[in-house]
Structure formats: structure tokens, C-alpha cells
């Protein structure tokens, strides 16, 4: 017979992420309870618990709330949007002042801000936390990006630290700022994720066009994953090339439709970057290319209308080396843009996002974990107020070491007619960013010419207007 108030942590939504997160917590010694209306999910939760751990699934929310220790810690992993508000509405009559509600889904940070305020009035703590790492991460150690109420964070901190991925013994979780900061950081994480995935797909296109087989692609990515490109996304890409289709004799990757899906977090990153504004063109490009992938019918017509160009042959190993450096260069640029966005957003939206902690949390568990992250940790150690990691000396050396091959690679892709918008956009951003003087003086002149929008001069302070074309 179970006594009341015995569970440390409750979860609403026992899809695979919710279930795995709870099982992970139970393996770390916490007593956990989950709620899902679907009784089969409760059975699945209890059935997959490690023997000796305390795990219970119930199909009545009030039953779960009644069995939690106080103050209660309740997390939800449900789809973003209305379902989160519905869960909050169903929880409110059951909770008491001081209880903690955690939204671990990919909610938009403005929704989180609204919910923080709403629940604050009711003296309920609300935290938006980003959880990255997919199903396996949730089970074995995700990267966790909490933001919001600091007192509430301290309540759940031991549990989050226990379940999080560890790098050199340090848990990949830290308080990442006020109010909507956790979800903001996760949104930008996903923007960077979109960018790197786009860059990897372009690298694949270039190598495939050069005739590399899936086996050779596998070996190439596997080798890359042992060097400076070591990362989760490169690692799984190497695996993907080996996977055989279970319905035909083909490799699975070759029979997958090229229309890419998306759930919106990449788009949100781009949208919000423009609001700030901060330039994140590699992320914008990645979002646009997923959209363009959906124009299948038009692309078929355009493919027939516009023939491809023949490129000069490049020896295979030479090309692989160029792609290696190009992908490395553009990956650094993707992080640089995402982190610059966080730097600006932290100030403009008063979220106090600690960038040294963000890159530290991203070292393990999350989709964008990579051997580059410790380099960024060092950069922020030297200067926590770094507005762009490209201004760090060590990062600059890495970028410069890959710059020549990146230019050669992009020239090759352009000549061969291989779409490489992400790679190109990273180089274009780099060239603009390192320009002491951009050609935007001409834009200012044009604005003033047709619209009397005024301009500033380089030699005399003040604002000027000219009656253009009158001499
Ligand atoms: C993660 C992922 C995860 C999810 C993406 C997929 O960090 O674990 O980012 O949150 O897989 O949101 O996003 P798309 O469906 O938009 O590609």
C-alpha cells in the first residue's frame, strides 16, 4: 500500500520523450510518477522501468498530483502551443502556492513569458526549459537549458543535474537566464542545428556529385568525426550512409524523399533575429532551403528547363579536403551567428543569458554537441562579454586555417551548379563582417536620393541631406 506524497517528480505526457526522461530520473534514484490519459503509455512506462526503481504511471491527473511531495515538481512534455495552456488550465485547480510547473517542450519564448507572468500572479513557479538530445538523450542524458524562476530552478536543480549528460563529470545543465531564456536558448540551439544540417547536406551533395558512393561517404564522414569536425551530427551522418532499406536493395538515404519537414523552431530563430535585429544568414538560408525543398513539382520543371554546368574535375581527395575545411568554416560561422544572436537578445530582452554557461551546456547531450564547443568555452572564459566569437584570437586562427579551402570549394560548387547556399552565405557573412568599410554608403546615398532619408558622413558629425543630381 502506497502512502501519500511519496514521489519526487511528476511528468505529464508519456510519449517517448516524457517516458525516457522519467526513466532516466528514476535510474538516478528519484521516485517518479507520470500521467497520460492513454493507459497503454502508463503500462509502457512501468514496464520499461529498471528493476528496483520507483516508477508509476496513472491516467488521472489528480491522482498524480496527490502523490507528489510538496512543493510539487511537475513537468510537461507535450506539443508546443495550445496543449501547454490546456495542461496549465487542468493543473491550476490541483496545485498550491509554491509548486513548480516545468514546460520541457519546444515552446515559443513569448508564450513562456506570458505563462511566467500569468502563473506568477497565482504564486505558482513556471519554468521553460529546453531539452535537447532526442529520445536517446532523454533516456541517457540530455542537454538541459532551464530559464525562468531562479528559486524554482534551485528546487529542481539536483534532479536536472542528475539526469543531464555529463562532460568531464560536469552536468550539461545550468541556469540560463530569466523568464523565457531557457526556451530562447533552445530556439537558437535549433537554429544552429538547422544551419549545420543544411551545411552537411550541401557537403553531401558536392561529394555525391563527384561520384562518391554511400560507402565512401560513410568512410569520409567517419574519418571526419575523428578530427576537428567531431560532432553528433557528423557521427550520425556517417551511420546514415550505411543503412540499408528494408523494402528494396537500395541504401535507405537514396529512397528518402527530398522534401524536408520542420516544426518551426528554425523559422522562429530567423524571425526573431530580424526583430532584434541580428544577422544570422546561415540559419535563414537553412530555413529557406527546407522551404524550397517543398517545391518539388516546380523543381522538376526547372530541372528540365535549365541544364547543369560541367565543372573542372578536382582529384577526389583534394575535393574531400576542401569540403572538410568548408564544412568546418561554415559550422563555426553558424555557431558565431547563433551566439551573437543570444548575446544581443540577452541584452535587448533583459534575459541575462550567460553565454559561457550556454556553450558549456551544449558540450554534451544536445544535437549540436561538437568538439568545437570547448573552444567556445575558452573564448568566453577569456571574455564573457564577447559579442561575436569571431573576435576571439583562437577562433580566428581556426577560421583562417580553413578559409582558403572554403573559397575554393565554393568556387567549385558555383561552377558545377551545385546548390551550396549555406556554405556561400557563411563566406559572404564572413567577408562582410571582416570589412572595415562595406559598400552600404551607396545604399545610404540611394535612400537619400529617392526618399530624403538622410545620411551620416565619415568626416563631419551630424545628419545630412542632399538635393541629388542638381549639379
Ligand atoms: C533536439 C531537437 C529536437 C527536435 C527538433 C526537430 O534538440 O533534441 O532540436 O528538439 O528534433 O525540434 O525540429 P524540426 O522538426 O523542425 O526539424
Amino acid at each position: 500500500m502506497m502512502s501519500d506524497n511519496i514521489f519526487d517528480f511528476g511528468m505529464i505526457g508519456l510519449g517517448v520523450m516524457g517516458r525516457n526522461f522519467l526513466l532516466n530520473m528514476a535510474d538516478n534514484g528519484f521516485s517518479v510518477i507520470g500521467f497520460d490519459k492513454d493507459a497503454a503509455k502508463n503500462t509502457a512506462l512501468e514496464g520499461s522501468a529498471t528493476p528496483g526503481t520507483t516508477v508509476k504511471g496513472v491516467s488521472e491527473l489528480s491522482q498524480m498530483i496527490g502523490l507528489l511531495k510538496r512543493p510539487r515538481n511537475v513537468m510537461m512534455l507535450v506539443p508546443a502551443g495550445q496543449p501547454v495552456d490546456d495542461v496549465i488550465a487542468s493543473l491550476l485547480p490541483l496545485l498550491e502556492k509554491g509548486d513548480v510547473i516545468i514546460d520541457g517542450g519546444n515552446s515559443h519564448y513569448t508564450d513562456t513569458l506570458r505563462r511566467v507572468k500569468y502563473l506568477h500572479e497565482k504564486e505558482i513557479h513556471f519554468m521553460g526549459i529546453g531539452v535537447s538530445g532526442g529520445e536517446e538523450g532523454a533516456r541517457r542524458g540530455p542537454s538541459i537549458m532551464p530559464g525562468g524562476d531562479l528559486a524554482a530552478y534551485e528546487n529542481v536543480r539536483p534532479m536536472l543535474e542528475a539526469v543531464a549528460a555529463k562532460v568531464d563529470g560536469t552536468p550539461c545543465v545550468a541556469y540560463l537566464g530569466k523568464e523565457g531564456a531557457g526556451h530562447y536558448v533552445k530556439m537558437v540551439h535549433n537554429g544552429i542545428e538547422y544551419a549545420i544540417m543544411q551545411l552537411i547536406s550541401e557537403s553531401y551533395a558536392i561529394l555525391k556529385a563527384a561520384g562518391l558512393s554511400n560507402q565512401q561517404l560513410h568512410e569520409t564522414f567517419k574519418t571526419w568525426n575523428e578530427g576537428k569536425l567531431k560532432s553528433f551530427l557528423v557521427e550520425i551522418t556517417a551511420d546514415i550512409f550505411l543503412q540499408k532499406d528494408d523494402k528494396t536493395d537500395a541504401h535507405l538515404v537514396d529512397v528518402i524523399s527530398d522534401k524536408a519537414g520542420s516544426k518551426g523552431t528554425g523559422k522562429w530563430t530567423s524571425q526573431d533575429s530580424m526583430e532584434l535585429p541580428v544577422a544570422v544568414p546561415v540559419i535563414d538560408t537553412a530555413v529557406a532551403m527546407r522551404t524550397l525543398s517543398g517545391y518539388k513539382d516546380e523543381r522538376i520543371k526547372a530541372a528540365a528547363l535549365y541544364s547543369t554546368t560541367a565543372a573542372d574535375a578536382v582529384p577526389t581527395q583534394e575535393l574531400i579536403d576542401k569540403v572538410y575545411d568548408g564544412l568546418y568554416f561554415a559550422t563555426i560561422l553558424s555557431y558565431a551567428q547563433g551566439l551573437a544572436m543570444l548575446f544581443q537578445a540577452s541584452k535587448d530582452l533583459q534575459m541575462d543569458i550567460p553565454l559561457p554557461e550556454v556553450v558549456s551546456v551544449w558540450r554534451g547531450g544536445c544535437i549540436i554537441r561538437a568538439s568545437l564547443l570547448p573552444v567556445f568555452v575558452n573564448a568566453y572564459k577569456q571574455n564573457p562579454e564577447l559579442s561575436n566569437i569571431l573576435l576571439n584570437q583562437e577562433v580566428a586562427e581556426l577560421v583562417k586555417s580553413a578559409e582558403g579551402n572554403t573559397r575554393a570549394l565554393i568556387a567549385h560548387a558555383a561552377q558545377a551548379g551545385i546548390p551550396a547556399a549555406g556554405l556561400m552565405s557563411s563566406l559572404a557573412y564572413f567577408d562582410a563582417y571582416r570589412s572595415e568599410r562595406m559598400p552600404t554608403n551607396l545604399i545610404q546615398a540611394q535612400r537619400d536620393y529617392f526618399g530624403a532619408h538622410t545620411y551620416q558622413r565619415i568626416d563631419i558629425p551630424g545628419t545630412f541631406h542632399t538635393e541629388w543630381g542638381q549639379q
Side-chain angles (χ1 to χ4, degrees):
M1 183 68 190
M2 277 182 181
S3 63
D4 274 2
N5 313 129
I6 58 159
F7 290 93
D8 296 309
F9 198 86
M11 176 71 75
I12 296 171
L14 297 178
V16 66
M17 288 294 288
R19 180 175 77 223
N20 283 357
F21 198 92
L22 271 193
L23 294 173
N24 181 351
M25 202 166 258
D27 284 354
N28 281 287
F30 297 98
S31 52
V32 299
I33 182 165
F35 157 74
D36 204 295
K37 278 188 201 127
D38 181 355
K41 291 198 176 140
N42 300 325
T43 316
L45 171 72
E46 290 182 8
S48 44
T50 311
T53 59
T54 309
V55 177
K56 186 174 173 62
V58 295
S59 38
E60 277 299 326
L61 184 58
S62 55
Q63 191 188 356
M64 179 177 95
I65 301 302
L67 288 170
L68 284 169
K69 287 180 191 164
R70 293 180 184 146
R72 302 175 181 93
N73 295 312
V74 185
M75 176 162 162
M76 68 182 102
L77 273 167
V78 299
Q82 191 57 40
V84 177
D85 289 312
D86 292 344
V87 168
I88 291 172
S90 63
L91 276 172
L92 273 178
L94 305 171
L95 296 183
E96 290 165 3
K97 288 177 186 174
D99 288 345
V100 179
I101 304 179
I102 299 170
D103 172 15
N106 278 332
S107 290
H108 195 277
Y109 78 97
T110 52
D111 284 335
T112 306
L113 282 176
R114 169 175 58 79
R115 291 167 186 146
V116 166
K117 286 199 177 70
Y118 173 65
L119 289 164
H120 183 72
E121 287 161 15
K122 303 192 178 307
E123 295 180 63
I124 303 277
H125 301 291
F126 183 76
M127 293 175 59
I129 72 170
V131 179
S132 178
E135 297 171 15
E136 187 60 19
R139 184 71 186 89
R140 307 274 162 226
S143 176
I144 307 180
M145 298 156 236
D149 193 318
L150 188 55
Y153 174 65
E154 291 303 337
N155 255 6
V156 288
R157 181 181 173 155
M159 296 176 213
L160 297 183
E161 287 186 348
V163 295
K166 309 284 181 305
V167 173
D168 304 330
T170 308
C172 291
V173 56
Y175 180 72
L176 297 185
K178 295 193 287 199
E179 301 186 326
H183 280 145
Y184 200 95
V185 171
K186 178 64 186 355
M187 174 182 81
V188 174
H189 165 284
N190 281 28
I192 297 171
E193 172 186 305
Y194 270 54
I196 298 172
M197 289 167 77
Q198 172 63 25
L199 297 168
I200 291 177
S201 79
E202 292 172 12
S203 304
Y204 159 57
I206 294 166
L207 295 175
K208 193 171 160 66
L212 264 70
S213 65
N214 284 317
Q215 181 61 34
Q216 288 170 311
L217 286 163
H218 161 74
E219 282 156 19
T220 303
F221 276 82
K222 190 167 178 289
T223 309
W224 288 356
N225 195 44
E226 285 153 15
K228 65 184 181 182
L229 274 177
K230 184 172 171 50
S231 61
F232 173 72
L233 284 168
V234 167
E235 181 189 334
I236 65 162
T237 304
D239 278 0
I240 285 170
F241 291 121
L242 281 189
Q243 187 80 36
K244 287 285 178 57
D245 180 25
D246 60 5
K247 295 177 181 55
T248 65
D249 291 338
H251 281 90
L252 184 54
V253 68
D254 292 330
V255 292
I256 293 180
S257 155
D258 61 357
K259 285 187 188 174
S262 59
K263 293 198 201 74
T265 43
K267 179 182 77 179
W268 293 347
T269 313
S270 278
Q271 285 173 326
D272 209 73
S273 76
M274 295 195 189
E275 291 301 329
L276 283 166
V278 172
V280 294
V282 188
I283 296 172
D284 301 339
T285 301
V287 175
M289 288 299 122
R290 287 202 197 185
T291 305
L292 218 153
S293 80
Y295 303 175
K296 187 71 176 178
D297 295 344
E298 285 181 46
R299 287 193 285 113
I300 290 169
K301 288 180 196 148
L305 194 57
Y306 299 99
S307 59
T308 48
T309 335
D312 296 339
V314 181
T316 306
Q317 192 51 52
E318 203 180 294
L319 185 66
I320 291 174
D321 292 345
K322 289 192 166 76
V323 181
Y324 184 53
D325 275 353
L327 179 56
Y328 186 64
F329 176 97
T331 298
I332 296 177
L333 268 288
S334 304
Y335 285 106
Q337 292 174 13
L339 291 167
M341 179 167 169
L342 286 180
F343 178 81
Q344 191 64 37
S346 172
K347 293 197 183 323
D348 288 12
L349 304 173
Q350 282 120 42
M351 289 187 290
D352 293 342
I353 297 173
L355 287 181
E357 302 286 355
V358 170
V359 287
S360 176
V361 162
W362 287 353
R363 285 179 309 156
C366 66
I367 304 295
I368 63 168
R369 62 184 186 260
S371 61
L372 268 170
L373 267 306
V375 176
F376 305 149
V377 170
N378 274 340
Y380 288 116
K381 235 181 231 160
Q382 286 164 33
N383 178 7
E385 284 299 301
L386 194 59
S387 58
N388 192 314
I389 52 161
L390 293 177
L391 296 176
N392 172 267
Q393 190 62 41
E394 193 188 344
V395 173
E397 294 310 322
L398 299 177
V399 167
K400 285 193 271 184
S401 72
E403 183 187 336
N405 270 346
T406 303
R407 292 187 190 282
L409 174 69
I410 287 171
H412 168 80
Q415 198 195 18
I418 302 166
L423 290 163
M424 289 176 177
S425 131
S426 74
L427 183 62
Y429 172 94
F430 173 73
D431 281 333
Y433 188 75
R434 64 175 190 85
S435 294
E436 195 178 326
R437 184 162 165 85
M438 287 171 68
T440 26
N441 51 325
L442 183 59
I443 291 176
Q444 285 296 77
Q446 290 164 332
R447 291 177 68 243
D448 193 56
Y449 190 119
F450 64 66
H453 293 296
T454 73
Y455 57 88
Q456 282 80 43
R457 299 177 55 95
I458 56 173
D459 51 354
I460 310 168
T463 297
F464 298 86
H465 168 60
T466 296
E467 291 301 316
W468 294 85
Q470 292 203 344
Q471 67 258 21

